[in-house]
Amino acid sequence: MTWASIDLNADLGEGFGRWTLTDDEELLTVVTSANVACGFHAGDAVTMRRVCELAAARGVRIGAQVSYRDLAGFGRRSMDVPADELAAEVAYQIGALDVFARAAGSRVSYVKPHGALYNRVVRDEEQAAAVVDGVLLAGGGLPVLGLPGSRLHETAAKAGLPVVAEAFGDRAYTADGSLLPRGQEGAVVTDPAEVVERSVSMARFGVVTAHCGTSVAVRARSLCLHGDTPGAVGLARRVRAELEATGVRVEAFA
């Protein structure tokens, strides 16, 4: 399956206080959607406001990147959070970001889980339902960005929320279309040429080579470009340039 267009998203605002991780200003000249950290795995009020202002000025869509409450572990540690508590915390994060998005003349346009929560809701029906409940509690019927075929997408669709399939040019896939866990060797693709080639393959043909060497169908409307990897800005520019050179229109899904 091919798309006439694809969205490019990146995780932004992943700093806290004086500590910064992502080059938000430069990445916002490349991507069409910004997954903004909402304070639970990274981000603070000043950072959220700044990123929202930059995104709004560039016409980039603002998404709430919701997470487990895990600043020390960058939201990548597995946590067991009661469903009602998780739903409330998801709604809280969306609401906090939306204040700054609206102050900048924009709004929160979608929701994407981060890190351990993203991986958990691929298969955990209860946690997926809690995230969906949080999105519904926040109001607005926001689209949910995530892995195609996940429990999150199944639950969101049943609740009447739009779902948007996502792919990763710099992450290794297993034969079943899930992401190879970060703790395993080869989970992150570091060769820039390979990242570009995989990104174009998924955008144009809907396929990618899995870690085991087989071809896997990856039908995605949005392509994630991680902002916390070395040379992230240059790589993002290369991916976008190659997509456009091969006839793929880069535009936001929301």
Side-chain angles (χ1 to χ4, degrees), residues 143-235:
V144 177
L145 180 62
L147 208 64
S150 63
R151 290 288 182 268
L152 175 64
H153 271 189
E154 292 177 6
T155 307
K158 288 178 182 177
L161 296 175
V163 296
V164 182
E166 179 178 36
F168 297 82
D170 61 356
R171 289 295 310 278
Y173 282 81
T174 65
D176 66 0
S178 60
L179 298 177
L180 191 70
R182 278 185 176 266
Q184 295 189 28
E185 185 177 355
V188 179
V189 181
T190 57
D191 178 48
E194 186 177 358
V195 173
V196 172
E197 186 277 328
R198 291 164 67 86
S199 298
V200 172
S201 177
M202 288 186 285
R204 293 192 65 200
F205 309 115
V207 295
V208 70
T209 301
H211 189 61
C212 62
T214 61
S215 292
V216 179
V218 180
R219 297 179 174 89
R221 178 63 184 85
S222 185
L223 183 67
C224 180
L225 305 173
H226 280 106
D228 60 347
T229 54
V233 174
L235 180 56

Side-chain angles (χ1 to χ4, degrees), residues 101-126:
R102 291 185 181 278
S106 184
R107 61 184 177 84
V108 169
S109 297
Y110 64 95
V111 177
K112 175 185 173 179
H114 165 81
L117 182 58
Y118 186 99
N119 293 323
R120 182 75 170 268
V121 296
V122 171
R123 294 186 173 87
D124 190 317
E125 189 171 350
E126 182 183 76

